[in-house]
Amino acid sequence: MSNRKGLPFKIREHAEKLAEYLHHHNYRYYALDDPEISDAEYDCLMRELQELEAKYPSLINSNSPTQRVGAAPVDAFGVFEHDPPMRSLENAVNEGEVREFQERARRYFRQTYDREVDGIRYVVEPKLDGLAIELIYREGRFESGGTRGDGTIGEDITQNLRTIKGIPLRLIRSGDVSPVSSYLAVRGEVYMDLEGFERLNRDRLEAEEPLFANPRNAAAGSLRQLDPRITAARPLKICVYGIGRIEDHSFESQSQLLETLHKWGFPVSREWRKCADLDEAIEQYQHLLRVREEVPFEMDGAVIKMDSIELQEELGFTSRAPRWAIAYKFPPKQEHTVVEDIVVQVGRTGVLTPVAVLKPVRVGGVEVSRATLHNQDEVEKKDVRVGDTVVVQRAGDVIPEVVAVIQGKRPAKTAPYKIPENCPVCETPAVRDSGESAVRCPNPACPAVVREGIRHFASRGAMDIEGLGEKLVNQLADEGFVKEPADLFKLKGKREELIKLDRMGEKKVDNLLAALEQAKSQSLARFIFALGIRHVGVHLAEVLAEKFGSIEALGEIEDADSLMEIHEVGPQVAQSIVDFFHHSGSREMVDRLLKAGVNPAPPQRNATSGDAGAPLAGKTFVLTGTLSSRSRNEAKAALEALGGRVSGSVSKKTDFVVAGENPGSKREKAEKLGVPILSEDDFDRVLAEKQIS
Ligand code: IVH
């Protein structure tokens, strides 16, 4: 017997059996940590299925266990919406704050419902230090997944998530397990365990690639790769702890939810516990703190959640976080080591920072060999000297710092440290701004300041020039190729010379040149941030881009007062922006960048002013449901190409909602607000005719 596609029925049946076995053994291994077969046997089953699929490609589907190796690279991630939004957690750093959290919740309950809530039960879970993600399952099959992003909109990293073996591609449906729901949005943390992290860094050291500072950065960097094959090669793990939305299923308690998710095949932390009251929850926190060094992954605290879902729903959320849960953070990890030297680092703004060079020590699973001493005042306050034994600590991903000196271990003949009076790089006398504890090198042409400026310009949050990290910036500066950011865009005329540089080669140079070309049209917000204006961070850069729409308009600002009309801008910040554009050096630096071809893209929301001629300029669309002829990303790109804007949520400002198959709550909201709804046919017509009425 054979089926429609001419594939022998027996073969399809056999392949499905193999896939079923592999899904099952994957679950035994990753979710239960209790494998039933050896790795070799697993590999054997896998190979058999791979061979069958190679012979009969129609057997392949995206959720086959063989498809975890990584799909083709993408140019950019699409958007991934969270409905409801992924909130954050309030933090507590001591027992008092945890008790206050319970009191706050009880007070809120009393005021809202006019009755008392007593006998609150809790669930305590470890707080894993990784990256928050959401996974969508339809009819028990993995469909898509995304990062948390700003909580409402993250990035669609489905192809990368598929490579993580702990993520079930199909959920378990068996006798004693409650039925799998038709729609499930599950939330959790992707992380890297300590062993995987160390292995990865060892490999990178050998390959002369930059090391990851900690497992969290390694997990985030691995998950946000445009090439899923790179993600597939990284030792990522997953642990789920909650849900976003679920259909035809409900839970009574957080503990029931965790048990059910585990039964459906998700890895759930083994360390979660049910607690009868807050005292027990605090005891469980103490227990986690004790085992912190023994577990093979980084925990940065415990999450204490009220167990009853009914109570969770009654308490609800503040704008930021649930009223029914709190993150009780662990104190930072501390170790003792010896200060071998104190050196001075010159930062992007010229600030001189004393840094202790330490005898390498492992602090919370990460090797630390330098720690910041912040500034001269701090050095004096702590009286840190070369030769001292000190306590160092790492708090989350913050740069390690020296907490205190162990006076009893101070060797004879040490001298108090004094920060040099001149910049150690350009010898210019350092200055101290009134009211500030930092001293700065005031020379804008100081090679260290210039270098740091270029590094910042190219960095992730700024122009995001792939491959242009600290080492390469140093090399390009040492070899005289770049003296300022604009020089980067002149590198394309020097391809042959660049190829001859140490550790470069054709491929690396071409990649760099391509990344630079791409960066020319980076967004205005990132460009503003990249300029390194003092006090202008990522968020403020976005606000300024939105408000001014072009770098020229921002540069024309005359006085600080008009800037201060912007909610986010205070007097110091306003002055700093005005000073930057009034300083001939920085003004000319910006001009040279524009001349070199940098043409920042104005914010899309300003399509009406920036690209008023575009057919869909000024129109905001919301996409919902599945379109049969285009992916969400393709639809978004098509609208944007015509000047339209695509938003994640429906509001009165939405002009049109495009509703495909199975539209969700967004369609209902559009109906309620009277926003016109386009069917897929209408939408196709709009794109074909490039106009909208
Ligand atoms: S619950 C509304 N549970 O901590 C509930 N979060 O600030 C919000 N995290 O990055 C989250 N382990 O991904 C929850 N057991 C756990 C968690 C956990 C780690 C992370 C979460 C987010 C941050 C929340």
Side-chain angles (χ1 to χ4, degrees):
M1 212 203 306
S2 67
N3 70 3
R4 269 176 300 156
K5 286 180 189 153
L7 182 70
F9 179 71
K10 276 247 145 34
I11 294 200
R12 180 169 292 277
E13 198 182 35
H14 183 57
E16 271 165 18
K17 266 257 152 58
L18 280 171
E20 209 54 61
Y21 285 151
L22 285 160
H23 284 303
H24 170 76
H25 292 302
N26 209 61
Y27 162 71
R28 299 287 318 186
Y29 190 94
Y30 290 100
L32 301 187
D33 204 6
D34 184 18
E36 289 170 337
I37 59 173
S38 70
D39 289 1
E41 282 167 306
Y42 183 87
D43 291 345
C44 201
L45 289 173
M46 180 66 93
R47 216 160 318 122
E48 197 180 340
L49 182 58
Q50 279 166 340
E51 281 164 14
L52 269 183
E53 289 182 350
K55 206 159 157 196
Y56 304 103
S58 72
L59 287 173
I60 304 175
N61 70 66
S62 59
N63 279 351
S64 162
T66 61
Q67 299 303 300
R68 295 204 191 251
V69 284
V74 292
D75 292 331
F77 296 123
V79 294
F80 189 94
E81 290 164 40
H82 303 293
D83 178 19
M86 287 178 83
R87 302 306 214 303
S88 166
L89 288 169
E90 291 297 343
N91 288 331
V93 294
N94 56 45
E95 202 181 307
E97 289 181 4
V98 176
R99 295 196 184 278
E100 176 50 29
F101 144 77
Q102 178 173 263
E103 279 322 301
R104 244 190 344 261
R106 297 185 55 180
R107 241 185 345 259
Y108 174 85
F109 196 90
R110 199 178 305 131
Q111 283 160 4
T112 314
Y113 301 101
D114 204 22
R115 61 192 160 92
E116 289 295 325
V117 53
D118 285 316
I120 305 176
R121 293 172 183 279
Y122 289 92
V123 160
V124 176
E125 302 164 15
K127 184 165 185 298
L128 294 178
D129 204 7
L131 202 76
I133 52 98
E134 178 169 74
L135 307 169
I136 308 294
Y137 288 80
R138 274 187 209 276
E139 305 301 338
R141 284 167 191 270
F142 174 61
E143 183 182 84
S144 58
T147 60
R148 174 171 183 271
D150 64 6
T152 308
I153 296 193
E155 289 175 315
D156 184 331
I157 50 162
T158 307
Q159 299 302 353
N160 291 355
L161 289 167
R162 203 188 287 289
T163 69
I164 300 175
K165 299 201 183 67
I167 294 182
L169 299 174
R170 287 187 206 173
L171 302 184
I172 309 269
R173 311 158 177 269
S174 68
D176 63 330
V177 178
S178 45
V180 166
S181 73
S182 59
Y183 176 93
L184 167 68
V186 61
R187 294 175 176 178
E189 197 87 351
V190 167
Y191 66 100
M192 205 176 274
D193 67 13
L194 293 171
E195 190 201 325
F197 169 69
E198 281 174 17
R199 188 159 22 97
L200 176 66
N201 260 355
R202 263 201 312 275
D203 293 348
R204 290 175 74 84
L205 191 66
E206 250 169 50
E208 288 193 12
E209 285 167 329
L211 303 187
F212 287 112
N214 54 47
R216 195 172 80 108
N217 289 4
S222 302
L223 206 50
R224 296 193 60 256
Q225 291 287 336
L226 292 173
D227 184 349
R229 287 166 300 195
I230 301 181
T231 311
R234 300 279 172 83
L236 292 171
K237 298 205 156 178
I238 171 106
C239 172
V240 306
Y241 53 66
I243 53 169
R245 195 160 63 78
I246 186 162
E247 272 165 24
D248 47 54
H249 208 98
S250 65
F251 299 103
E252 277 170 18
S253 62
Q254 173 70 11
S255 39
Q256 190 194 42
L257 182 151
L258 292 175
E259 277 160 5
T260 310
L261 289 177
H262 195 216
K263 283 186 185 153
W264 283 342
F266 291 101
V268 171
S269 144
R270 292 162 156 266
E271 282 79 13
W272 74 268
R273 292 287 173 274
K274 238 156 121 166
C275 301
D277 55 26
L278 195 59
D279 287 334
E280 251 186 67
I282 291 169
E283 272 170 38
Q284 178 58 16
Y285 162 88
Q286 307 287 2
H287 166 75
L288 288 174
L289 187 55
R290 279 193 299 276
V291 299
R292 180 190 195 184
E293 298 300 334
E294 292 154 28
V295 295
F297 49 83
E298 286 239 44
M299 277 192 281
D300 59 348
V303 183
I304 302 182
K305 299 177 180 171
M306 295 187 184
D307 195 25
S308 154
I309 300 281
E310 190 186 350
L311 182 55
Q312 289 186 5
E313 282 169 359
E314 283 167 330
L315 286 171
F317 296 82
T318 67
S319 64
R320 227 180 76 78
R323 293 192 183 86
W324 42 265
I326 193 154
Y328 188 0
K329 305 277 275 193
F330 288 155
K333 296 191 181 180
Q334 302 189 333
E335 292 295 339
H336 294 183
T337 188
V338 175
V339 177
E340 294 180 329
D341 196 4
I342 297 178
V343 296
V344 173
Q345 254 174 17
V346 187
R348 174 163 62 88
T349 52
V351 171
L352 307 188
T353 307
V355 173
V357 178
L358 306 169
K359 183 161 177 253
V361 61
R362 297 189 69 78
V363 186
V366 176
E367 190 165 280
V368 171
S369 56
R370 290 163 90 88
T372 178
L373 297 168
H374 300 292
N375 52 53
Q376 179 65 29
D377 290 354
E378 281 287 312
V379 179
E380 279 170 22
K381 203 166 84 194
K382 292 175 187 158
D383 188 20
V384 182
R385 304 180 185 192
V386 174
D388 271 341
T389 296
V390 291
V391 182
V392 284
Q393 81 174 14
R394 226 165 46 82
D397 56 351
V398 189
I399 309 160
E401 60 172 353
V402 169
V403 185
V405 171
I406 303 174
Q407 293 290 343
K409 289 198 173 175
R410 174 166 287 170
K413 288 209 196 121
T414 57
Y417 175 80
K418 176 109 191 55
I419 199 159
E421 284 173 5
N422 294 344
C423 167
V425 177
C426 69
E427 298 292 333
T428 306
V431 294
R432 183 169 183 156
D433 297 337
S434 67
E436 288 196 20
S437 39
V439 287
R440 286 193 304 117
C441 167
N443 173 14
C446 167
V449 173
V450 170
R451 242 169 239 215
E452 282 301 306
I454 298 174
R455 205 187 48 68
H456 168 75
F457 182 83
S459 68
R460 268 271 169 86
M463 298 297 268
D464 195 14
I465 303 170
E466 179 113 25
L468 191 53
E470 190 172 348
K471 271 197 195 144
L472 189 51
V473 169
N474 281 340
Q475 193 179 11
L476 292 173
D478 287 344
E479 303 279 346
F481 283 97
V482 288
K483 292 194 181 63
E484 61 159 349
D487 294 337
L488 292 170
F489 300 97
K490 299 176 193 153
L491 290 174
K492 65 170 183 269
K494 302 186 174 152
R495 181 174 179 275
E496 301 311 315
E497 292 162 69
L498 288 171
I499 290 174
K500 290 192 200 113
L501 291 180
D502 249 15
R503 302 191 303 268
M504 281 300 266
E506 248 176 68
K507 189 158 172 235
K508 213 163 152 192
V509 171
D510 288 340
N511 286 345
L512 174 66
L513 296 179
L516 282 162
E517 270 316 294
Q518 217 178 343
K520 283 184 180 168
S521 49
Q522 188 57 279
S523 71
L524 177 62
R526 277 168 173 265
F527 182 66
I528 295 173
F529 175 62
L531 292 177
I533 308 169
R534 276 185 91 190
H535 308 301
V536 177
V538 176
H539 174 64
L540 184 53
E542 280 166 6
V543 173
L544 293 171
E546 194 69 42
K547 180 100 185 152
F548 289 91
S550 75
I551 194 72
E552 290 81 2
L554 178 60
E556 276 162 20
I557 275 292
E558 288 290 321
D559 59 305
D561 285 351
S562 50
L563 272 170
M564 275 161 59
E565 285 164 14
I566 302 173
H567 175 68
E568 284 86 349
V569 177
Q572 198 189 20
V573 179
Q575 198 53 52
S576 160
I577 299 170
V578 171
D579 287 352
F580 180 88
F581 286 103
H582 283 206
H583 181 272
S584 60
S586 33
R587 240 202 134 85
E588 283 159 18
M589 176 189 89
V590 174
D591 286 344
R592 283 192 294 271
L593 276 164
L594 302 180
K595 234 168 138 183
V598 178
N599 183 17
Q604 277 160 13
R605 210 163 301 169
N606 278 0
T608 31
S609 59
D611 196 4
L616 304 184
K619 299 277 184 256
T620 301
F621 292 78
V622 170
L623 303 172
T624 178
T626 319
L627 298 173
S628 62
S629 58
R630 303 183 167 72
S631 72
R632 188 68 66 104
N633 276 340
E634 287 164 350
K636 181 168 180 271
L639 286 168
E640 286 174 354
L642 297 175
R645 195 175 93 81
V646 177
S647 158
S649 52
V650 181
S651 73
K652 275 190 286 197
K653 291 194 188 135
T654 311
D655 292 295
F656 298 95
V657 166
V658 179
E661 284 274 310
N662 299 324
S665 56
K666 285 182 196 148
R667 189 196 163 106
E668 285 163 31
K669 189 153 179 209
E671 279 167 358
K672 229 182 261 163
L673 294 174
V675 174
I677 297 169
L678 303 180
S679 67
E680 182 162 6
D681 285 348
D682 299 334
F683 180 56
D684 285 340
R685 232 179 342 261
V686 167
L687 293 183
E689 293 168 9
K690 300 198 178 11
Q691 59 181 23
I692 200 153
S693 44

